[in-house]
Amino acid sequence: MKTLAIYNVKGGVGKTAAAVNLAYLAAESGLHTLLWDLDPQGAATWYLHGEGAKAPDKAIWRGSSPIGKRIVETPHHELLHLIPADLEARHLDVWLRKDNNSHDTLKNLIEPLSEQYSLLVLDCPPSLSHVADNIFAAVDRILVPTVPTHLSLRALMTLIDYFKANELPRTRLRPFWSMADRRRLLHKGLIEQPPKAMKDVCQAVIPYASSIERMGETRAPVVISEPSSYAAECYRELWAENANYLRRG
């Protein structure tokens, strides 16, 4: 089973919209896909109508309860399953540090899921924490949504520097432009001449689009609710860029 994380140090960069759309596209392409909403805000869970389901608790992270029991169906149940978020997950960093300071807790938890799924997508909380360390140790690829602004680029550099300082494989990180508006000179300039931090940027650019914002009304991936939209096309391009890598092995 391959594991894909959608992660950024900062929030408000289009992380959850990307996670939901990419997970659906992966499932639609034939991969048995599971989306785990690790963000206690639970936006991905809400998009996929998973609120109210029993979410992972402390027993999960202690290894005394199998994570598979927390999997629920989504409206797209024939394609995509979900492990919902819960507000109690805001304590997750404390739980992990107190009970087990290892960075392998998440990796060990998800290993049994490979019996049923070929791809796990993680919608990650926006923090640089012990939870993030567990994510970095467990995943095969980390897609980093980056708004074409200097503040967002600074957040990306913080992540790159952290990987370097902790001797983590930089090749796992793949940034992509998110919430991009080419009508803005700054956005247009950074996209056309990417800085060094974006040297391996994905070619697909996710736009700042009303169709993505309307996911809050439709509570569905934009590739379903507005399949002919420009945003849906861009998500398909982003998935296509990463599909071959995630299908290997």
Side-chain angles (χ1 to χ4, degrees):
M1 181 180 70
K2 291 288 187 178
T3 307
L4 171 67
I6 316 298
Y7 171 87
N8 197 305
V9 175
K10 69 192 302 293
V13 295
K15 172 179 61 64
T16 296
V20 170
N21 279 282
L22 291 176
Y24 180 83
L25 288 168
E28 187 181 51
S29 74
L31 293 175
H32 295 288
T33 304
L34 174 66
L35 174 61
W36 189 347
D37 188 356
L38 285 171
D39 191 336
Q41 297 177 80
T45 298
W46 187 77
Y47 277 146
L48 295 172
H49 302 260
E51 73 278 16
K54 191 172 182 180
D57 55 22
K58 196 172 183 178
I60 291 291
W61 298 97
R62 284 177 166 170
S64 56
S65 178
I67 188 62
K69 289 186 176 181
R70 299 302 192 267
I71 297 172
V72 301
E73 292 186 345
T74 72
H76 325 289
H77 60 89
E78 293 182 356
L79 295 176
L80 180 61
H81 290 170
L82 170 74
I83 300 178
D86 184 76
L87 191 57
E88 287 300 307
R90 69 189 188 278
H91 303 304
L92 181 54
D93 198 57
V94 176
W95 293 347
L96 290 176
R97 283 194 176 277
K98 182 178 180 181
D99 295 336
N100 185 353
N101 205 35
S102 168
H103 292 172
D104 292 328
T105 303
L106 178 62
K107 184 177 181 179
N108 293 335
L109 279 176
I110 66 179
E111 187 174 351
L113 297 173
S114 62
E115 296 178 7
Q116 184 176 356
Y117 298 97
S118 49
L119 177 65
L120 173 66
V121 178
L122 301 176
D123 183 22
C124 305
S127 64
L128 197 55
S129 62
H130 193 60
V131 176
D133 287 331
N134 269 259
I135 292 168
F136 301 156
V139 302
D140 298 295
R141 174 155 292 191
I142 303 168
L143 291 181
V144 187
T146 305
V147 182
T149 65
H150 295 295
L151 188 60
S152 194
L153 284 168
R154 184 176 182 272
L156 175 61
M157 281 304 306
T158 298
L159 179 59
I160 292 172
D161 290 343
Y162 186 83
F163 264 58
K164 183 177 180 180
N166 289 274
E167 299 181 346
L168 295 168
R170 170 73 169 83
T171 53
R172 288 185 187 173
L173 296 176
R174 286 296 305 274
F176 67 92
W177 292 120
S178 177
M179 300 177 67
D181 185 349
R182 295 179 190 268
R183 296 170 299 180
R184 300 181 182 182
L185 291 179
L186 177 60
H187 285 212
K188 185 174 184 291
L190 288 173
I191 293 169
E192 292 180 352
Q193 295 185 334
K196 186 177 180 180
M198 301 291 285
K199 65 179 181 179
D200 51 357
V201 63
C202 295
Q203 294 302 303
V205 176
I206 305 303
Y208 183 82
S210 56
S211 56
I212 298 175
E213 291 183 331
R214 283 193 292 272
M215 284 177 61
E217 298 176 10
T218 62
R219 294 182 67 184
V222 71
V223 294
I224 295 178
S225 60
E226 301 188 44
S228 300
S229 66
Y230 178 62
E233 178 185 341
C234 292
Y235 280 125
R236 291 190 192 97
E237 290 177 3
L238 183 61
W239 166 245
E241 282 190 64
N242 292 278
N244 288 337
Y245 175 82
L246 292 169
R247 285 180 177 279
R248 293 200 300 264

